[in-house]
Structure formats: structure tokens, C-alpha cells
């Protein structure tokens, strides 16, 4: 049965627990291929939400695998360097025609696909590993995002352990932090729902929006902006905090909404980002935060693990909830999906009309 965005958001803790539980079996093939090829470069090729998930995983994978990791959309494949490159074609639905073409184009490169659906075109044509999220039929993806980040993390973690790049103690510590973030998720989803209902009148007024996060959380802001854009159908742009100060900030006016994804209060950027929030609030009332701040009803306080790499499981939630709930309130539910479906038949985005 087709689920709603809310169903998939709510399903996330269960899905992530099961991905964590199945990690040994599910990552085996990747680890074996990695050992066989001893890669000196990893390319993650993906579109849309899969691309945002891949971008989030880059620093984690680089640290664990000890190699450069690069993300590219399938239609912007980079020149390949290195003596033994490895590519992972990431596609949640497994039917994106651009990713299928990239697989054909990079036939000579040692690679695997990473897909979220058993039955899909990519699984028919290429060796693959599962994201373990199950089908997600709502257009804008939510559980596929967090499941893809988690799976990429686990591929890197299990491989690093198998190669002796990290000790058993370090491995258990990473897993413990990831488990904590998943444990926090149900409560965090409830916090976002409360925040949304308390701010409904102002959230409804958003006509344009900046989503801002610092350094490693920037890819979370990119996914947050995509959720707002494809559901509320308003322009939404994501910026890395310091980059935002170098130009985009000039576009602030009383109608420009801001969603600031804040790190833990101990983070070096915390106070500076708060000064920016106050500055923006002096110009527009439509300024919201997610993270560790409190004190204003516009601040969506969340339980954070305190480690940067769990931010995609925490800071993404307010934008996911906005995307799930606000279109119905605005009377534009399904408008985005209708445009998308018409475009898919005209431009053949997915293989044989798949998802
Ligand atoms: O990860 P996939 O299945 O290749 O899809 C890429 C993107 O394409 C869409 O399905 C829209 O075409 C997005 O929802 C998705 O993030």
C-alpha cells in the first residue's frame, strides 16, 4: 500500500534499527570488493536526495576508509584519477535513467550499486548492495535519505574494521553513537510535530526561504531545502553558514524566511550562528531554528548525540515534517507530484515509469 510522507518519517527509527541490526550481512559484499580492489578513490554517483545523502557521508567515509571520496550527479561524471578507483552508484528507487546511463558509461570502473528496492532496473543490470529501507512511494523522499546515510556509514565502518583501520573499541563507540541518535529519533519527531503546530500560522506564510548549517551539516541543509521546495513549492536555497555571510545574506528582507540548523552549544560556531539568528529576526519574524537552542517558540529543540555525523538523523526532521504537513494546510497537497508525473512521462526520468 502506498504510504504518506508522514508514514515514512515515522517509520525511520524502525528502518534505521533494522539497518543497524543487519549491518554485518548487508555490508559484506562491499567489504569484499573493497579488499579485492584496494581502492585509492571512491566516487559516489547519485541524484536528488540520494546525492544529498551521499554528500553527507563523504567526510565520515573518508575518515574511515582513508581515501578521498567524491560525490557526483550521474550527468556530471568527473574525470577519474587514481590507480584503482571504485564507484558506488546510489539510487534509492533503482530506476533513475541518468544513473543507469552512468553505470553504462563507467563500465570499466570497479563498482557496485546501492539501491533501496529489490525490484528495479539497476539491480537487473549491476551487482548491488541494499539500502535496506524498503519501498517509498511518496514523491519527496524521507526514510530513504536517513537510510542511505546510515548504510553508507556502515559500509565504511565495517570495512574499516575488517581492514584493521579502527579498533574494536572505536568501532563499538561509533555504533553506540549511531544507536543513540536512532533512539532519540521518536522523541525528536514528536518535538518537531509540536514545534510545527505551535508555529503553524507563521510557517504557512513562507514564500521563500534560506536553510543554513555550518560545515559538515551543510548537506543536511541541502536536503532540508529540497524537502521545502518540492513540497511547499517555494524557492528554498541552502548555504553553508560562513558562505551565507559572503553575499546571500544581502537578500534578507521581511519576507525571507530562515531555517538555521544549529550545532551543540559547545560547538565553536554556536554563538556566532545565534548572533546571525538574532540579526535575521530583527528583519523578519519567519526565522526558525532546529538543534540545541530553546527559549523562543520558533526554536525546535532536539536531542542531539553531540557528534557531527548524527546530524542527518536529527537536524533534517523539522524540514521533513514541514514537507509532510504544510502542503495539506496550504491546500496544495499533491501539486508537486502532479507536475513531477507529467514531466516524467515527457522527459523519461525513470526507467519504464518506475519510482
Ligand atoms: O535515488 P533515486 O531513486 O535514483 O532517485 C533520485 C531522485 O529522483 C526522485 O525520485 C525524483 O525523480 C527523487 O525523489 C529522488 O531523490
Amino acid at each position: 500500500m502506498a504510504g504518506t510522507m508522514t508514514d515514512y518519517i515515522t517509520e525511520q527509527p524502525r528502518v534505521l534499527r533494522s539497518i543497524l541490526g543487519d549491518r554485518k550481512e548487508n555490508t559484506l559484499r562491499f567489504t569484499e570488493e573493497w579488499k579485492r580492489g584496494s581502492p585509492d578513490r571512491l566516487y559516489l554517483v547519485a541524484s536528488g536526495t540520494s546525492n544529498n545523502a551521499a554528500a553527507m557521508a563523504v567526510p565520515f567515509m573518508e575518515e574511515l576508509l582513508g581515501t578521498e571520496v567524491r560525490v557526483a550527479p550521474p550527468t556530471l561524471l568527473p574525470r577519474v584519477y587514481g590507480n584503482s578507483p571504485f564507484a558506488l552508484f546510489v539510487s534509492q528507487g533503482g530506476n533513475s535513467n541518468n544513473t543507469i546511463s552512468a553505470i553504462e558509461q563507467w563500465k570499466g570502473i570497479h563498482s557496485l550499486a546501492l539501491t533501496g528496492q529489490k525490484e528495479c532496473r539497476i539491480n537487473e543490470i549491476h551487482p548491488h548492495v541494499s539500502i535496506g529501507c524498503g519501498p517509498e512511494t511518496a514523491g519527496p523522499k524521507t526514510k530513504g535519505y536517513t537510510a542511505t546515510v546510515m548504510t553508507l556509514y556502515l559500509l565504511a565502518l565495517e570495512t574499516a574494521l575488517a581492514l584493521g583501520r579502527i579498533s574494536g573499541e572505536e568501532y563499538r563507540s561509533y555504533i553506540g553513537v549511531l544507536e543513540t541518535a536512532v533512539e532519540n529519533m521518536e522523541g525528536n519527531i514528536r518535538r518537531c510535530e509540536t514545534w510545527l503546530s505551535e508555529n503553524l500560522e507563521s510557517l504557512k506564510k513562507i514564500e521563500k526561504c534560506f536553510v543554513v548549517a555550518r560545515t559538515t551539516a551543510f548537506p543536511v541543509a541541502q536536503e532540508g531545502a529540497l524537502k521545502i521546495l518540492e513540497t511547499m513549492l517555494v524557492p528554498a536555497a541552502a548555504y553553508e553558514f560562513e558562505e551565507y555571510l559572503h553575499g546571500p545574506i544581502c537578500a534578507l528582507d521581511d519576507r525571507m524566511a530562515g531555517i538555521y540548523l544549529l550545532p551543540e552549544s559547545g560547538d565553536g560556531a554556536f554563538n556566532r550562528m545565534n548572533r546571525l539568528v538574532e540579526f535575521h529576526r530583527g528583519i523578519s519574524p519567519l526565522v526558525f531554528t532546529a538543534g540545541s537552542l530553546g527559549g523562543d517558540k520558533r526554536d525546535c529543540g532536539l536531542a542531539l548525540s553531540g557528534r557531527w555525523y548524527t546530524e542527518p538523523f536529527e537536524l533534517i526532521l523539522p524540514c521533513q515534517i514541514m514537507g509532510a504537513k504544510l502542503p495539506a494546510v496550504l491546500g496544495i497537497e499533491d501539486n508537486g507530484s502532479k507536475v513531477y508525473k507529467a514531466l516524467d512521462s515527457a522527459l523519461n526520468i525513470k526507467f519504464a515509469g518506475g519510482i
Side-chain angles (χ1 to χ4, degrees), residues 316-338:
I316 193 57
L317 295 173
C319 293
Q320 287 187 340
I321 296 283
M322 286 171 71
K325 308 280 186 197
L326 291 174
V329 176
L330 293 166
I332 56 164
E333 214 176 6
D334 292 335
N335 286 16
S337 299
K338 279 184 200 142

Side-chain angles (χ1 to χ4, degrees), residues 74 95-102 104 121 344 347-353:
N95 289 306
S96 290
N97 277 325
N98 53 351
T99 308
I100 293 168
S101 302
E104 280 155 12
R121 181 61 182 161
D344 188 21
L347 296 185
N348 197 23
I349 304 168
K350 302 286 179 178
F351 181 83

